[in-house]
Amino acid sequence: MRGKIRRIKFILPLILSHLLICCSSSQEARVIFAVGGTPAELKGWEQLVNGFQWRSGIPIEILLLPADTDQQRQSLIISLEAGVKNPDVFLMDVGWLALFSHSGWLEPLKGIDTAPFFSKVIELSDTYQGNLVALPMYMDGGLLYYRKDLLNASGISGPPKTWENLLSTSLLIQPGMRRERPDFYGFVWQGAEYEGLICDFLEFAGSNGGFILKDGLIRVNTPENRHAVQFMHDLIWKYKISPPTTYTEMKEEQVRRYFQRGDALYERNWPYAWNLHEDEESEVRNRTGIAPIPAPRGAESVSTLGGWHIGVSRFSDAKPEALEFVKYVTSYMGQKKMVLLLGWNPGRQDLYLDREVIEKMPHFSKLKEIFQNAGPRPMVPYYAQVSKIVQTKINGVLAGRYSSDQALKEADEEIAALLKRYRIE
Amino acid sequence: MTEERLQKLLLTLGAFFTFLFCLSPFIYMLFTGVSLRPDFLRPDIPFVPTLSHLDAVLTSESMHFLSFLRNSLIVSALSAILTVFIASSAAYAVTRLSFPGKKFLMIAILAISMFPEVSIVNYLFKLMSAMGWINTYPALVFPYVAWTLPLSLWILSSYFARIPQDLDKAGLVDGCSRLRVLLKIIFPVAAPGIFSTGLLAFILAFNEFLFALMLTTDYSARTIPVGIAFFQGMHGRIPWGEIMAAATITTIPVVILTVIFQRRIIQGLTRGAVKE
Amino acid sequence: MSKSEVREGLAFLMPLILVLVIFILLGVLFTVMDSFFRDVTYLPKKFIGLENYAALFGDRAFRQSIEFTFLFVLVSVPLEVFIGLVIALVLNESFPLRGAVRASILIPWAIPNAVTGRIFELIYNYSYGGANYLLRTLHISSDPVHWLGDPAGAFFSLVLADAWKTTPFAAIILLAGLSAIPSDLYAQARVDRAGFMQRLVKVTLPLLKPVLVVTFLFRTIQALQIFDIIYVLTKGGPGGSTMSLSMYGYLSFSAGDFGYGSAISVILFLMAFGFSLGYLRLGAFGKEIS
């Protein structure tokens, strides 16, 4: 009698937990597509996904991840490292693509012709050990947005081509604007401690700066980089043309909203902001122009290559269906929808020549060239950690914690230690 | 001023300060949740009450807020129930039965309760992956039970210790097994203590963050703390109104529970030492 | 102690022992083991002995996280215990509405850390947060303070947010201790014409000592592990100045390096263990357990 009751005490929790497992996992075999991003993007995805479901009959569901790229990465890493079967297909920031492919989490994509896509990107990031493991969904490259109306009013003919010029025009215009708009700043950009900071940094540093990959080492302590970081610091503290919250709060959306309110002269952001700036309710509608990123003195301008790639999980239980979805969203028609509905920049080069597309997005011709030449970040699996080291140091400079010399010197040391640990020499 | 008057003044100030200190962030949260704009503290911006944030949080599918809430409630409740049973069973043994190594056991359990979460999360992650439990309720319930057991044992032991063993003896003489004595005699008498323990376990599980972050990946099992930490809303900028509305919905049940049962909770936490 | 009694005792204890062993004890052992491996998602798993620890030794970010964690514990724990003591002293006296005040101190404790983090994120908001609003209305400063904008500000902001959340816990434990002090001791002191401060120092504090030690111990262990609030409020910034040990370990895990993260968490575990042993030696514990 006693033994029986004792046994029940053990069995009950076990039964409970099995019930829990059954109830909390989904039953149908459907394609689960994990994607994060801003709400505007989500709406676009919903449309695409519905179109796919309608056309192919394959049930598909969106799993919404946070907008922050690091949080997306964390969530996906947990799923993949645990070998869980969902999500089946997901988007990856080009920055962590190498981590995912090297960890063996991506299923090779068969039967896809890669010729229409941007070849440099396919070669550098989407191929692993001879297999195609991902495709560029959309491309991103940093752009400079500017208020044409304000420049014209001050008699300035065009957007700045150098960082010095950007600085001087901001100093010229900002005081006047401050009289009516106390929160007006010359230049808003992403300075918070996250990957976006690196993207901006690479652009401040220009063609002679950035990550130096040599002899198997990654270095950042160069005169051009030190100068760039100092410049970033001075924009906030010395010249005061960027808000103090730049290094604590400013990410893509914060920057975009700041500019869209009419409180900035220049904005560094990705192409996605264009459509939103031209939106009905935008304060800067018809008053915004885009230009390539300015160049530092003595070097050429660099636009950081960004973008999101789509891949299929090696642990997926719906691989053929997932592959169908990948083919759909990277097809000519699929990508064209993305462009026309949401202004996204497709990973397919051929679309940039499409007549309808050029009509709706005239700036695309500029973009194509920018993307072809855009500077990628190092495609190594440990990039996330290298980036974190550099992010922390640069953000530290912006916060007044280090000098730019000390920061980059320490960054190099810590990166070298990291590589040594992984015996990557 | 006489000493007494000074004391009274200090006391009043102290009580006032305490009350304000504890409640002001909470009240700020409540107000922001129903304010049209989060910057209503700026002099030029009026406070306009609205229920739109609450509505958005409760009805927006893609935010999955209700899923987070459901997960939190279920996981916490299950953890609390399991904890109570397992801890009562052990507390009974500790207070009624003698066996070798009791003191060592208690110290070991106390020591175990001091292990930092981050030191275990990697193992739990690998364990749950192997069991296929990642992103399901058991992944959280079992660690939470383990987490709250030491404290629960502590509390229940002191409650059981104060229940006279004559009650047991009476039952045993009548031919009940020890288990029956526990369930039929001790449980009813110790009900307040058991309730406090369950409540504490519930609250601890409800508030936990790191395990939820690392052992779940999406709304099918993620809990509210992670949901709120990741909250991004529908309009791009940090949606303070919605975050605070979500925070309000999250905390109101726990706060109500705490306020109603404050005596029990305090007694639980202090093993009944606080006098009325 | 009969044999059947021992067996019974074991049976009743088994569930607890099983759960604790499987989900916690084995966890620590496993983590220690894993710290001796190169366990990275994109590299083959390999036994590397103490290399992770050697690397930690030379890792500047790790050293800084230890410094931060220590500093945080050193500043926040005494502060919280002190404020907790004040609150406990207040609540120990009876006065009208005492119940309301007592209920109010439980509220910070009941709110999840993540929610607290977001509330304080709003409070510290540069443009319209409550903190700057207070500064302006109380005429302390007309310029907004960039709370999270520099290492010192971020540190202080974290301490305040953490204090708000955990002081009630300290207060409750101390209140229990205070209640246990027999009131005739106070009566005696009054007869001896001891003033308020004297009563405090001569009667209250000495008798409260064991409870104070317990409170310090619990709060220290908790403060060492601080993670939730940092994750939500500063994520270790700005410039890595508020990186706690737990946060650093977590970051390692989320970058795919589980071995390194395990090593970090073993160090944290040893620190917590060391503190516990240290406090236990103060002897207060023997009494508490029995």
Side-chain angles (χ1 to χ4, degrees), chain B residues 167-168 170-172 176 180-190:
Chain B
L167 287 173
D168 293 52
L172 288 171
C176 292
R180 258 182 148 211
V181 169
L182 171 65
L183 291 175
K184 292 269 150 92
I185 300 181
I186 306 289
F187 258 52
V189 174

Side-chain angles (χ1 to χ4, degrees), chain A residues 6 18 22 61 76 131 171 245 251 268 361 405 407 417:
Chain A
R6 209 185 312 155
H18 275 277
C22 292
E61 196 183 295
L76 286 171
N131 288 322
L171 287 171
T245 47
K251 298 188 180 180
R268 182 273 173 205
M361 332 280 299
D405 291 355

Side-chain angles (χ1 to χ4, degrees), chain A residues 179-416:
Chain A
R179 284 196 283 268
E180 297 159 24
R181 297 178 152 272
D183 291 325
F184 187 88
Y185 275 97
F187 183 33
V188 288
W189 46 281
Q190 294 84 20
E193 190 176 332
Y194 77 123
E195 183 64 22
L197 172 59
I198 300 289
C199 296
D200 283 33
F201 158 68
L202 294 175
E203 291 164 1
F204 282 112
S207 57
N208 289 340
F211 290 102
I212 313 292
L213 280 79
K214 211 169 80 137
D215 307 325
L217 271 185
I218 301 186
R219 290 177 51 234
V220 290
N221 192 13
T222 66
E224 291 82 12
N225 287 343
R226 288 198 293 271
H227 179 83
V229 173
Q230 188 61 44
F231 185 70
M232 290 160 79
H233 170 274
D234 292 343
L235 286 178
I236 303 176
W237 299 111
K238 184 164 158 198
Y239 306 113
K240 301 205 204 300
I241 59 162
S242 296
T245 47
T246 300
Y247 63 93
T248 49
E249 283 170 25
M250 291 298 204
K251 298 188 180 180
E252 279 77 8
E253 279 290 273
Q254 287 79 352
V255 166
R256 173 186 75 78
R257 295 195 77 88
Y258 209 96
F259 184 86
Q260 196 156 313
R261 292 205 305 257
D263 272 334
L265 174 61
Y266 296 114
E267 171 194 9
R268 182 273 173 205
N269 216 334
W270 306 99
Y272 88 98
W274 173 254
N275 261 23
L276 294 162
H277 287 328
E278 292 299 297
D279 189 53
E280 291 280 315
E281 298 174 357
S282 159
E283 302 235 0
V284 297
R285 183 173 150 84
N286 289 332
R287 304 202 249 169
T288 311
I290 13 177
I293 298 283
R297 192 180 356 199
E300 303 199 355
S301 111
V302 157
S303 167
T304 304
L305 179 69
W308 288 80
H309 295 230
I310 191 167
V312 173
S313 161
R314 195 157 65 80
F315 311 105
S316 160
D317 56 346
K319 287 186 196 172
E321 291 83 359
L323 186 59
E324 282 308 305
F325 180 65
V326 169
K327 287 188 179 152
Y328 176 79
V329 294
T330 54
S331 66
Y332 195 87
M333 283 319 294
Q335 295 244 298
K336 186 163 172 178
K337 272 210 199 110
M338 271 168 54
V339 179
L340 295 177
L341 289 174
L342 295 147
W344 289 351
N345 330 300
R348 293 178 73 108
Q349 290 194 79
D350 45 4
L351 267 175
Y352 291 78
L353 300 170
D354 183 291
R355 207 160 28 100
E356 272 184 83
V357 167
I358 295 190
E359 219 181 280
K360 180 135 195 248
M361 332 280 299
H363 59 289
F364 260 35
S365 42
K366 267 193 244 172
L367 282 186
K368 177 167 176 205
E369 221 187 286
I370 291 184
F371 294 153
Q372 271 166 342
N373 299 328
R377 285 154 285 170
M379 292 293 172
V380 290
Y382 46 89
Y383 172 70
Q385 286 156 294
V386 170
S387 168
K388 181 74 186 161
I389 291 174
V390 182
Q391 283 169 35
T392 306
K393 298 300 177 194
I394 297 186
N395 191 266
V397 174
L398 299 181
R401 198 176 181 214
Y402 307 107
S403 69
S404 58
D405 291 355
Q406 186 193 357
L408 294 184
K409 173 166 160 293
E410 291 188 1
D412 268 8
E413 286 166 9
E414 291 174 32
I415 294 177

Side-chain angles (χ1 to χ4, degrees), chain B residues 1 14 28 60 62 78 92 144 193 208 242 253 272:
Chain B
M1 211 189 291
Y28 187 35
S60 156
S62 60
L78 284 171
Y92 187 76
Y144 288 172
E208 200 281 333
E242 278 147 26

Side-chain angles (χ1 to χ4, degrees), chain B residues 3 21-22 28 39 89 98-99 115 117 119 122-123 126 178 200 207 209 225 228 230-231 240 262 270 275, chain C residues 5 8 12 22 27-28 31 34 39 99 109-110 114 118 128 130 164 176 179 196 225 228 231 262 265 269:
Chain B
E3 158 120 2
F21 175 69
C22 293
Y28 187 35
D39 47 356
S89 173
S98 48
F99 48 88
F115 292 1
E117 281 196 337
S119 309
N122 178 22
Y123 160 78
K126 300 231 158 74
R178 286 280 188 187
L200 280 169
N207 294 357
F209 185 65
I228 293 235
F230 283 9
F231 209 96
W240 286 118
Q262 47 135 321
T270 60
K275 302 201 184 63
Chain C
E5 212 179 276
E8 270 191 307
F12 276 93
I22 295 180
V28 177
T31 302
D34 206 34
D39 184 3
W109 173 78
R118 299 226 80 168
Y128 47 78
W164 183 76
S179 318
F196 172 65
Q225 299 180 39
D228 309 11
Y231 185 89
S262 295
S265 48
F269 160 69

